Amino acid sequence: MAARDPLLTVLKLASEAEEQAALQLKAAQLDAQKRKQQLDALNQYRLDYMQQLTGQQGKQISANYYQQFHKFIQQIDQAISQQLRTVASANTQVQHRQQHWLEKQQKRKAVELLLEHKAQKRERAEAKREQKLADEFAIQQFIRR
């Protein structure tokens, strides 16, 4: 009887949905981590490039070199700004995926709780039936004596 319980099918589907949500969350976390690493690399590249200019201090630098340097730093800054938006978007995606996973987990736990309550109810009914049979048997034994 328990094997035919439709709640078992619901539990299986809820568990599969939770697993899928967990996989999506993990993928979003990995993507956010990758984007953060890219941002860190850009920041490091900018820092290295700025240190390169600092190393040129005291040396004569042409105006053309300085303009190109400044233009390049602006491009790096734009790339960093864009990457910051990408990181923020990836973090938002992680939050959405985590919320989705928590909802799926909550649904699975609710179905498990329903199944547990049904099982307890079944066990109580069975215990009551067994007690009734034992009482009837005892009464029959008493009457026969």
Side-chain angles (χ1 to χ4, degrees):
M1 180 175 160
R4 296 181 190 164
D5 193 335
L7 275 180
L8 290 174
T9 303
V10 173
L11 177 62
K12 180 182 179 210
L13 292 173
S15 294
E16 289 171 357
E18 180 187 5
E19 288 173 22
Q20 186 65 32
L23 290 173
Q24 291 171 348
L25 172 60
K26 184 68 175 172
Q29 288 171 332
L30 290 173
D31 183 56
Q33 181 181 14
K34 179 180 121 186
R35 296 192 186 284
K36 174 72 170 92
Q37 289 171 347
Q38 290 170 339
L39 175 62
D40 293 343
L42 280 170
N43 280 322
Q44 185 61 47
Y45 184 64
R46 185 185 192 286
L47 181 65
D48 292 345
Y49 207 72
M50 291 298 287
Q51 287 174 345
Q52 192 177 45
L53 179 66
T54 306
Q56 298 288 331
Q57 266 184 336
K59 296 180 183 174
Q60 212 170 31
I61 300 174
S62 70
N64 189 33
Y65 176 82
Y66 185 75
Q67 281 180 331
Q68 288 176 355
F69 179 85
H70 185 66
K71 186 177 178 182
F72 188 67
I73 289 295
Q74 284 179 331
Q75 289 174 342
I76 293 174
D77 287 343
Q78 288 174 353
I80 288 172
S81 294
Q82 183 178 352
Q83 193 64 27
L84 280 169
R85 289 189 296 275
T86 303
V87 167
S89 175
N91 288 337
T92 300
Q93 187 68 14
V94 167
Q95 290 172 350
H96 289 299
R97 295 290 183 194
Q98 186 167 19
Q99 185 61 38
H100 180 70
W101 171 68
L102 289 172
E103 289 169 4
K104 296 300 179 183
Q105 186 181 50
Q106 189 177 20
K107 285 181 183 180
R108 177 194 47 83
K109 287 180 178 181
V111 173
E112 285 177 344
L113 189 62
L114 282 173
L115 281 167
E116 186 179 323
H117 286 300
K118 279 181 94 173
Q120 289 172 352
K121 187 176 179 181
R122 226 179 2 258
E123 288 171 10
R124 284 192 302 271
E126 183 63 30
K128 192 174 182 180
R129 233 183 341 270
E130 287 177 8
Q131 185 62 46
K132 186 177 178 183
L133 286 174
D135 290 348
E136 286 178 14
F137 181 73
I139 290 172
Q140 290 297 325
Q141 290 290 26
F142 181 76
I143 292 174
R144 288 183 186 157
R145 289 185 194 171

